[in-house]
Amino acid sequence: MDTTVADDTSVVPDSFGIDRFADDTSLRSLLPLYIDDRLLEHLRPTLTALGPRLGGELDELAGIADRNPPVLRPRTRTGQDLESVEVHPAYRALQQVAYGDLGMAAMSHRPGVLGWPEVMPPVVKYLFFYLFAQAEFGLECPVSMTDSLTRVLRKFGSQQLQERYLPGLTSTDLDTLLQGAMFMTEQGAGSDTGRIETSAVDNGDGTWSLHGQKWFCSNVDAELSMVLARPAGAGEGIKGIGLFLLPRHLPDGTQNAQRIVRLKDKLGTRSMPSGEVSLDGATAYLVGELGQGFKQMTDMINPSRLSNGVRSAGLMRRAFAEARYVCANREAFGSTLNKLPLQRRQLAKLLLPTEQGLSMVLHTADVYAKSEAGDSRATAVLRILTPLLKFRTTRDARKVTADAMEVRGGVGYIEEFGDARVFRDAQLGSIWEGTSNIVALDVIRAAHRSESLKPLIGHLQDLLAEAAGTGAAGDGAPAGSVPAVLHGHLEELTGRIMHLLELLPMGTEQERVRQAASATYHLVSAIVLTWEGAHVGQRSGDWTRLVLAALVVRHKLLPQDPLEPAADDAEVIDDLVAGVPFDRERARAAVESILAGTR
């Protein structure tokens, strides 16, 4: 298979074979901040080898799998009512890379994956999700659910269930792997989970029988699924729901009493089978406590939401990289497109949310690791960062992928290139694991019911203080690293936006919830960009992320007159898009220019 990048002089620029890892200078500059040096050096050969495969071989496999979606076989050829789902060999090859070669579903649960003697930290797992999404998005849903189901089973499952199923869930051998799924959605309930009607009857022998219809089941033929159902006699609403582990096959090897009614014909993620499932007395096992089902299921939903945000950030990086490549190699009106001021500015509009997404992904994964280590403040902060990331990156990805497709023009609209597939896949993120309204409301719920607001304020203040070199730890960037105008805006905006969250308790002024969630996301991302900029600048002399933080403040958080000329320096925009690093003094000048007249 030829994975070399096409001739740059082609009339239709083709980036097939591009090295996705080498091309992402932002990611490579940030990894030393988030991953231990010894582990990063161990991973580097894997990342280096993966980069060109993402832009070549794996992207081609993803396109083939997209064009050849799964097929439901309702009966065996001998007439038995044992349905199966047939996937294309290209999808199977992608499974081998994700589950097998990279161990993406196993690396958070057991040592030895990728030759590392310890369990991988969350940031490594999400690094691979971010990269892999740039070739194949759909498969990452099953990988994420397998990972999340394993987490829930380890946390709430009985010792017997863990011993029976954890080895298969964490296998990197496709022949012994047990993939995971979660079956929540019902036609009459939708996002109102408390209305589900699937019932559970205690068999008295440690098993339960499930009866009902699940309306949207992704990875529908997974061997293990977490299912929400209402035990007989339980009350109405969420408090009456239990969580059950549903095996596709019983211990004796026979197929369980669950039936795949049909597969969904989806807009995107067409490579991965989603369907409707009928439960006709299917045998299942109670996980955790009765009445705590939804609360326990959130331990699967929240990592899935985080994964959704990570994948959306990966799609934005792919889309921006494609647009930048086209503009550097496509000639029109006497020059390449990247020399045209209007087009450069459009590229900058793709770049900014892409960089915000990357920073939020890495930072949230870092907070996740601290939470897993027992840091109570990190747990509270993670509770609000997770819906924030899911809410905003998934929506930004829809616009970034659409606008990047426009950059390639008519060629981008056809299916021979990956732009249309990436755009279709990007529509998923803001729908699954909670629509935008649901997730924005969850931001407010986290701020109040989970008491995450004060921990978040303290977290943001610490990041800003450390970036400015005044942190108590004493190992922050040198004093004066952050230009005063940027620091002042971030301090003031933190007070205003956190006060807005405080004034929006659940049930009141819901029409402002999305506005508040977006403002909070932009604030957090600007502070994280500032923190990263100070540290990367101190390490390498590249202070570019301070400039990006200033652009977030200027264009996402401060009022603007749409008829006023843009305040951004054209040369600054050009260098940001081209990836030219900013030294300390030039970054300071750029920040002051961007924010001139705003205080």
Side-chain angles (χ1 to χ4, degrees):
M1 184 180 297
D2 182 11
T3 58
T4 56
V5 178
D7 183 359
D8 288 353
T9 62
S10 170
V11 174
V12 180
D14 185 355
S15 64
F16 182 83
I18 193 171
D19 187 331
R20 296 284 179 206
F21 180 63
D23 186 60
D24 195 343
T25 55
S26 293
L27 175 65
R28 290 188 290 111
S29 73
L30 290 174
L31 289 183
L33 294 185
Y34 292 100
I35 299 178
D36 174 78
D37 289 344
R38 188 169 64 95
L39 175 54
L40 183 56
E41 284 308 305
H42 178 81
L43 293 172
R44 201 170 295 281
T46 300
L47 295 169
T48 300
L50 181 62
R53 294 185 72 193
L54 292 170
E57 169 201 355
L58 299 182
D59 188 54
E60 183 174 36
L61 288 171
I64 294 171
D66 180 78
R67 293 188 293 274
N68 296 274
V71 176
L72 175 63
R73 304 297 184 194
R75 309 182 85 188
T76 69
R77 66 180 185 177
T78 59
Q80 291 179 291
D81 287 325
L82 297 175
E83 80 279 344
S84 61
V85 176
E86 181 181 301
V87 297
H88 192 274
Y91 186 75
R92 186 73 173 171
L94 290 165
Q95 287 181 316
Q96 175 59 46
V97 176
Y99 284 109
D101 301 349
L102 299 178
M104 289 165 60
M107 63 172 58
S108 288
H109 305 288
R110 66 170 178 83
V113 175
L114 296 178
W116 187 247
E118 304 165 27
V119 173
M120 294 286 190
V123 69
V124 173
K125 173 176 64 181
Y126 291 120
L127 164 64
F128 282 105
F129 269 82
Y130 171 83
L131 288 168
F132 197 84
Q134 296 179 47
E136 163 62 11
F137 184 87
L139 174 59
E140 288 196 317
C141 176
V143 176
S144 174
M145 289 193 295
T146 303
D147 166 54
S148 299
L149 186 147
T150 304
R151 170 188 165 87
V152 172
L153 188 61
R154 289 175 57 203
K155 188 170 182 179
F156 300 111
S158 68
Q159 187 66 30
Q160 183 182 18
L161 289 177
Q162 292 186 38
E163 291 175 356
R164 181 184 300 169
Y165 293 120
L166 285 182
L169 286 165
T170 59
S171 175
T172 54
D173 181 347
L174 291 192
D175 292 332
T176 59
L177 170 70
L178 302 178
Q179 294 187 37
M182 59 178 174
F183 297 171
M184 287 197 309
T185 310
E186 296 183 11
Q187 190 176 23
S191 297
D192 189 355
T193 309
R195 295 177 59 193
I196 68 169
E197 297 179 353
T198 298
S199 64
V201 177
D202 189 348
N203 294 328
D205 60 358
T207 68
W208 293 68
S209 293
L210 304 186
H211 299 263
Q213 306 285 326
K214 292 297 181 180
W215 176 245
F216 213 114
C217 305
S218 290
N219 205 23
V220 68
D221 61 337
E223 187 58 38
L224 295 168
S225 304
M226 286 291 179
V227 181
L228 290 178
R230 193 179 307 280
E236 296 182 353
I238 286 179
K239 292 183 179 180
I241 294 174
L243 179 63
F244 298 87
L245 181 67
L246 175 72
R248 183 161 166 76
H249 291 90
L250 301 175
D252 64 4
T254 60
Q255 186 166 305
N256 208 345
Q258 62 184 95
R259 182 170 64 91
I260 302 173
V261 179
R262 64 169 177 168
L263 297 185
K264 300 287 192 181
D265 185 8
K266 297 171 292 181
L267 171 69
T269 64
R270 298 180 64 83
S271 62
M272 183 268 296
S274 299
E276 300 165 25
V277 171
S278 175
L279 304 173
D280 305 307
T283 299
Y285 305 93
L286 179 66
V287 176
E289 300 178 33
L290 277 177
Q292 297 295 307
F294 183 77
K295 182 178 180 181
Q296 293 163 174
M297 182 66 112
T298 58
D299 270 85
M300 190 167 180
I301 296 171
N302 284 333
S304 294
R305 284 180 171 177
L306 178 53
S307 169
N308 222 319
V310 171
R311 286 178 272 154
S312 294
L315 287 183
M316 285 192 280
R317 174 60 60 180
R318 155 77 184 256
F320 167 73
E322 288 290 312
R324 182 172 61 182
Y325 183 90
V326 169
C327 288
N329 296 289
R330 172 72 167 167
E331 291 190 4
F333 309 110
S335 71
T336 53
L337 296 182
N338 63 356
K339 294 180 181 177
L340 302 176
L342 183 58
Q343 185 60 70
R344 287 198 303 265
R345 192 162 191 84
Q346 297 310 302
L347 285 177
K349 290 182 178 181
L350 302 182
L351 173 66
L352 190 57
T354 297
E355 295 290 356
Q356 286 180 272
L358 173 60
S359 292
M360 289 293 285
V361 161
L362 295 174
H363 185 73
T364 303
D366 188 57
V367 173
Y368 190 173
K370 293 172 182 174
S371 173
E372 292 285 281
D375 184 329
S376 58
R377 188 176 84 165
T379 299
V381 172
L382 180 66
R383 176 67 185 85
I384 200 168
L385 288 185
T386 299
L388 272 182
L389 181 71
K390 200 280 189 184
F391 171 68
R392 194 65 257 169
T393 55
T394 58
R395 297 193 62 76
D396 288 344
R398 289 162 57 173
K399 179 170 175 53
V400 170
T401 56
D403 289 353
M405 181 168 61
E406 182 183 349
V407 170
R408 187 169 254 134
V411 176
Y413 187 70
I414 64 174
E415 295 287 350
E416 289 178 330
F417 284 79
D419 306 75
R421 170 168 57 87
V422 169
F423 169 74
R424 287 188 281 105
D425 287 349
Q427 308 311 303
L428 162 71
S430 61
I431 298 174
W432 287 7
E433 279 88 45
T435 60
S436 297
N437 283 351
I438 295 297
V439 179
L441 285 166
D442 199 35
V443 172
I444 309 303
R445 186 179 297 111
H448 294 279
R449 291 185 188 172
S450 300
E451 299 182 342
S452 294
L453 186 57
K454 288 183 179 179
L456 178 63
I457 294 171
H459 180 68
L460 296 179
Q461 289 173 337
D462 286 352
L463 287 174
L464 195 53
E466 186 180 331
T470 58
D475 59 354
S481 294
V482 182
V485 64
L486 176 59
H487 189 278
H489 271 303
L490 292 175
E491 280 193 322
E492 179 184 350
L493 287 165
T494 298
R496 288 184 61 196
I497 294 171
M498 294 301 101
H499 184 60
L500 173 60
L501 284 182
E502 190 176 24
L503 294 178
L504 286 176
M506 291 297 298
T508 63
E509 296 193 63
Q510 285 194 6
E511 66 273 11
R512 299 187 66 196
V513 163
R514 290 173 69 127
Q515 177 187 15
S518 287
T520 305
Y521 175 85
H522 294 314
L523 171 69
V524 175
S525 67
I527 290 177
V528 172
L529 282 162
T530 300
W531 179 87
E532 291 172 340
H535 281 279
V536 172
Q538 185 183 19
R539 282 172 174 247
S540 68
D542 181 3
W543 301 79
T544 302
R545 300 192 88 69
L546 294 180
V547 182
L548 293 167
L551 287 171
V552 173
V553 170
R554 180 69 181 86
H555 292 284
K556 305 292 186 180
L557 290 168
L558 296 182
Q560 298 182 63
D561 181 346
L563 299 181
E564 282 293 315
D568 311 323
D569 186 299
E571 187 177 347
V572 169
I573 296 300
D574 293 350
D575 286 349
L576 283 173
V577 169
V580 176
F582 284 71
D583 63 28
R584 184 169 178 167
E585 291 308 313
R586 183 146 186 264
R588 180 179 297 279
V591 168
E592 291 174 351
S593 173
I594 291 167
L595 297 176
T598 58
R599 286 186 68 79

